[in-house]
Every structure is written in C-alpha cells, then in structure tokens.
Amino acid sequence: MPKLDGYEVCRRLKGNSETVFIPIVMVTSLSRLEQKIKGIEAGADDFLTKPFNSVELITRVRSLLKVKQLTDELENAETVLFSLALGVEAKDPYTEGHIFRVATLALKLGRRLGLSAEHQESLWKGGILHDIGKIGVPDAILNKAGRLTPEEEAQMQVHVIVGERICQPLRSIRYLLPVIRHHHEKFDGTGYPDGLRGEAIPITARIVGIVDMYDALITDRPYRSRLSRQEAFGILRAGAADRTLDPALVASLIAMVEQEEGLAPVPGAVAPETGAAR
Ligand SMILES: [Fe+2]
C-alpha cells in the first residue's frame, strides 16, 4: 500500500466514532510477534497469516459479526437512554436545548484542558444524561416557580442517585456514571450526594456541574429570568471565591466563553478611545 499502510487504515477506522465498532481482521504475510503487537495497538480484532485457509477466514468473520451485532444492540440501548434524557428535558419547557448545550460546552472545555478521549466522551454523553434521574422527580417540584421547601429539595437531590441507577446496568457507559452521581458536589465539600471535596470530585463531574450552572444562569427559569453573561460570570467568580466552585475551572470556562464571543481583548489590538484615561 503506497500511502497508508494497513496499520494506519486500521488506526483511523478505530479512531473514528462512526467506524470504531467495525471488526477488522488483519491478513498479513508476517507472523512475527512485534507485527502482531503493532496490529493490536492499531485496534485490529483478529489476525490471519498468509497463506490463509478460506474456511478459517469465514469462521472468524462470522464470529466477529456476531460480536458486532451485540455491540449494535448495546448502542441501541444507549440510544434509548438518550431518548429518555430528551423526554425528561421536554417535561420542562424552560430547559429546551439545555442538555445539548451543556454537553457541547463541557466537551469544548474538556478539549481545551487537554483531557483524554475517554474523559471527553464522558463529558459529551454525561452532559446529555446527567439529569436523566429527574424522571423520578414530580413535575410540581421540577417546575415550581418559588423556592423549594427542604422536603422538596431532598426529593430533587435524589435525581443523581436515580440517574446512576438507570444507567448502571449498561456496561458500555459505566465510565460516565461519576458525571451523573457527582455533578452536584461542591468544591468545598458542601454538595451532594457524597459531600466530596476538591480534586476528589471527578474532573468530568466538576466540569459538567459548572457548565450546567452557567447555562442555567443565562437562560430563563420558572423562578427567574435569564441573566446577562457578565452577571453569570460574576456569580461563577463569587462561587470560585467562596470555594464552592473549582476556581481553575471557573477561570477556564470564562476565558473560553469570552474568546468565543469575542469579549476578550485580542492581543496586540489598539484599544478604542474612551476618553476615560485622560
Ligand atoms: Fe442535576
């Protein structure tokens, strides 16, 4: 193969979320161990050495297709959960589009911070699924215009446990359960459900928690109308100052939003004349 070799083709297919589950059998004339290791590292599912027996090839392809079918069924199960999350969101007209905005912003922040591919996937899928447990919270509490009573607040808090339980049976998304369980923990240990403090709160849950809060602040809610970006930044900064929010993450989120919205000064640009400095 003149440009890409088989390993690179394999690596690219396995690195793309659209093609990652397509089984790949490497047919090679080399039987050396290091070539095989290279193939495994590239993500190959099976190997055959030339000259290969066609019956053996067919048998291996059949068994890999069976695995693929199971993977597809798992993917369908994930789809059901995502639909459920959208259903929960649809119960509340105020939160329309909220979960996709949270997922998108959390993923962008994770990329900016250089988090791993698995963490990034947790941020995207966890951003969508984090409030799925609200299916177990009465609508009267979800949509209440005034402050929640302590009993109602307790009922609301259960959503993180219910959400974890809903998603727990699906092994393919176990890695994102910490996002669901811990997205309401606070940096100073005053959050729920476990009162985790500081870095003990998984980074993915800290990111989704802050982004969730930010998006809620800049959109209309039953209990108040939307705030401006600067007002929302002020509340996030106050949270960083009193240590309920991770100060480093608050700073990164604000810097990212300011850059995206063109609010941050462009380095080297001449400041407009305001007359104030004279
Ligand atoms: Fe939540």
Side-chain angles (χ1 to χ4, degrees):
M1 299 174 78
K3 285 186 181 160
L4 296 181
D5 63 11
Y7 300 110
E8 188 54 26
V9 171
C10 184
R11 217 181 328 270
R12 290 193 187 184
L13 286 170
K14 292 295 184 180
N16 181 335
S17 58
E18 300 283 314
T19 51
V20 62
F21 294 124
I22 295 175
I24 295 179
V25 182
M26 280 204 156
V27 180
T28 166
S29 51
L30 303 154
S31 57
R32 284 170 51 197
L33 182 64
E34 48 191 271
Q35 304 292 338
K36 213 168 174 178
I37 290 172
K38 208 172 156 190
I40 291 169
E41 280 170 352
D45 298 276
D46 210 343
F47 298 88
L48 278 180
T49 310
K50 280 189 210 165
F52 59 85
N53 173 324
S54 59
V55 176
E56 194 184 357
L57 176 64
I58 289 169
T59 311
R60 292 210 191 169
V61 167
R62 273 212 188 106
S63 75
L64 283 169
L65 285 177
K66 241 180 235 164
V67 175
K68 170 79 168 75
Q69 205 182 339
L70 287 174
T71 318
D72 286 348
E73 280 166 18
L74 269 183
E75 268 199 285
N76 289 339
E78 276 187 29
T79 310
V80 170
L81 285 183
F82 290 149
S83 308
L84 187 58
L86 284 170
V88 172
E89 187 181 65
K91 289 208 300 178
D92 178 358
Y94 282 93
T95 56
E96 202 196 335
H98 170 70
I99 56 176
F100 276 110
R101 286 196 303 273
V102 169
T104 307
L105 206 54
L107 176 62
K108 276 191 201 164
L109 189 54
R111 282 195 183 137
R112 185 183 168 96
L113 296 169
L115 297 193
S116 69
E118 186 172 280
H119 275 149
Q120 289 184 29
E121 197 155 339
S122 290
L123 291 171
W124 172 250
K125 292 187 182 173
I128 294 170
L129 295 174
H130 69 281
D131 271 345
I132 195 169
K134 283 188 177 170
I135 191 114
V137 179
D139 289 6
I141 296 179
L142 286 179
N143 300 325
K144 186 172 175 181
R147 264 189 108 77
L148 297 182
T149 65
E151 294 76 35
E152 289 167 339
E153 180 61 33
Q155 272 184 281
M156 180 67 122
Q157 291 189 4
V158 171
H159 81 274
V160 297
I161 308 289
V162 173
E164 188 186 38
R165 272 195 211 138
I166 290 173
C167 296
Q168 213 156 28
L170 198 56
R171 270 208 239 164
S172 68
I173 54 164
R174 282 224 171 132
Y175 60 90
L176 61 78
L177 293 180
V179 176
I180 299 176
R181 185 176 178 96
H182 297 298
H183 72 275
H184 286 287
E185 303 284 3
K186 298 254 184 260
F187 206 60
D188 62 355
T190 58
Y192 62 87
D194 299 317
L196 296 184
R197 185 189 291 260
E199 313 260 306
I201 308 165
I203 180 74
T204 46
R206 266 180 281 152
I207 291 177
V208 169
I210 286 180
V211 168
D212 185 28
M213 181 177 169
Y214 171 67
D215 189 73
L217 289 171
I218 59 165
T219 45
D220 290 329
R221 291 290 154 130
Y223 40 89
R224 58 146 174 77
S225 28
R226 71 182 71 181
L227 304 179
S228 71
R229 291 209 189 287
Q230 289 308 329
E231 286 169 323
F233 290 165
I235 290 176
L236 291 180
R237 286 194 183 106
D242 68 17
R243 310 290 290 179
T244 51
L245 299 177
D246 180 341
L249 282 186
V250 167
S252 296
L253 174 65
I254 292 176
M256 186 177 82
V257 174
E258 283 185 333
Q259 273 172 9
E260 281 188 354
E261 308 270 323
L263 300 171
V266 179
V270 180
E273 282 262 2
T274 61
R278 282 184 194 164

